[in-house]
Amino acid sequence: MTESVDASALADIAGTLARSVGQMIHEKRAAGVDIAATKSSLTDVVTAADEEAERILTAGIRELRPEDAILGEEGASVKGTSGVTWVVDPIDGTVNYLYNLPAYAVSVAATVADGAPGTMSDGRRAIAGAVYLPVTGELFTAWEGGGAFLGSERLPGPSQTTLATTLLGTGFGYTVERRTEQVEVLRRVLPRVRDIRRIGSAAMDLCLLAAGRLDAYYERGLQPWDYAAAALIARESGAVVRGLGDARPGEELLIAGTPEIAAELAEVVAEAYRALE
Ligand code: LIP
């Protein structure tokens, strides 16, 4: 069972850990970075910094919240008894990090699996989370019911109501099969919007949406560590985070924006996928 937790205290822990690990990986980037391994394809890489960052995040969580479980992109897997599972992405935007492109993030989320509204397709929902952008030093945080913040400033969320003037974030998978399908969907979406931004970090995309710097976002193939914290930040900023139809958002598809735009975008994307069948 989930013990009664203080979500704002969990958000403080997430923010402190995300910022300290983010500063470490930023320093490592300046010193030079190499590929340590590849995962789902030759282009799906992991660096030594990813692995060290996840070790530090795991150690920090175990010290502060020893009863909690942990799930990390680079393999961290700790069982817990509290009902809280920390879902961490030590470097979201790994390819950008490898190429020293200034668009990568550290994502730390405290999640529960009680099936309440807001549960994602992986069965969890974040009740607190933080995303730190090491290049700009921006720390995005949120806790359930507490609002979403950039530093101490409350985030306004998206306000766009017209698809044709929507600046739309998206991303693509690492396999040829998935990318071939995604380009066909993009072919149908791009003419309907103002423009597309492919930033390369879902966590960053959703935080920029919460800050009103993107109007909407969609992507297929995300993993829980990519979206756990930032989906909460987007929701707490007032955005809708949804899937197709009645499906829960997550790996199958994640769409975020104002209610109107998210609904219209869901229809355009669904139509595009139907045309691929
Ligand atoms: C990335 C996501 C991004 C997606 C990339 C990649 P990673 O996560 O944040 O949205 O388009 O293909 O999956 O691999 O950098 O942790």
Side-chain angles (χ1 to χ4, degrees):
M1 284 297 287
T2 308
E3 64 187 39
S4 59
V5 293
D6 175 353
S8 66
L10 298 183
D12 287 342
I13 291 172
T16 300
L17 291 174
R19 176 187 276 122
S20 64
V21 163
Q23 289 167 341
M24 180 275 287
I25 65 167
H26 195 218
E27 287 161 15
K28 276 185 169 299
R29 179 52 268 182
V33 166
D34 291 318
I35 295 174
T38 58
K39 298 185 287 188
S40 65
S41 72
L42 280 178
T43 56
D44 186 2
V45 298
V46 58
T47 70
D50 285 273
E51 294 169 334
E52 182 176 355
E54 187 160 294
R55 282 194 296 273
I56 295 171
L57 285 171
T58 302
I61 293 166
R62 297 198 73 176
E63 183 184 339
L64 296 167
R65 295 279 306 180
E67 306 306 318
D68 294 356
I70 304 172
L71 172 67
E73 177 176 20
E74 307 316 338
S77 175
V78 175
K79 292 192 187 313
T81 55
S82 67
V84 174
T85 297
W86 292 81
V87 179
V88 301
D89 191 338
I91 304 178
D92 188 57
T94 304
V95 173
N96 288 343
Y97 184 72
L98 180 67
Y99 280 76
N100 202 8
L101 294 172
Y104 51 91
V106 178
S107 177
V108 180
T111 71
V112 295
D114 58 8
T119 297
M120 307 291 278
S121 62
D122 64 292
R124 293 189 190 88
R125 81 180 201 281
I127 55 174
V131 173
Y132 181 72
L133 306 183
V135 175
T136 59
E138 292 175 301
L139 179 64
F140 296 82
T141 58
W143 65 93
E144 193 168 58
F149 296 83
L150 169 53
S152 58
E153 274 183 54
R154 188 178 283 267
L155 290 168
S159 55
Q160 182 61 255
T161 55
T162 309
L163 192 59
T165 53
T166 287
L167 185 62
L168 178 62
T170 192
F172 309 116
Y174 286 114
T175 64
V176 171
E177 297 75 19
R178 175 55 55 85
R179 294 165 76 80
T180 302
E181 163 205 289
Q182 288 173 322
V183 76
E184 284 307 311
V185 174
L186 184 62
R187 192 168 64 81
R188 290 169 172 81
V189 170
L190 183 55
R192 306 288 301 274
V193 297
R194 174 197 295 269
D195 204 348
I196 290 284
R197 290 294 180 271
R198 197 284 194 258
I199 290 170
S201 163
M204 187 166 174
D205 284 319
L206 285 163
C207 287
L208 295 178
L209 173 93
R213 302 182 211 168
L214 284 176
D215 294 316
Y217 170 75
Y218 82 100
E219 187 160 352
R220 186 172 196 177
L222 294 178
Q223 297 303 308
W225 40 77
D226 295 323
Y227 61 68
L232 174 68
I233 291 164
R235 278 194 168 120
E236 286 295 323
S237 79
V240 161
V241 178
R242 57 167 291 173
L244 283 186
D246 296 333
R248 286 174 170 170
E251 183 170 5
E252 186 59 17
L253 197 72
L254 189 151
I255 298 172
T258 59
E260 304 85 356
I261 293 297
E264 208 174 338
L265 191 55
E267 190 38 51
V268 173
V269 172
E271 192 183 309
Y273 275 106
R274 280 194 295 270
L276 294 179
E277 286 168 2

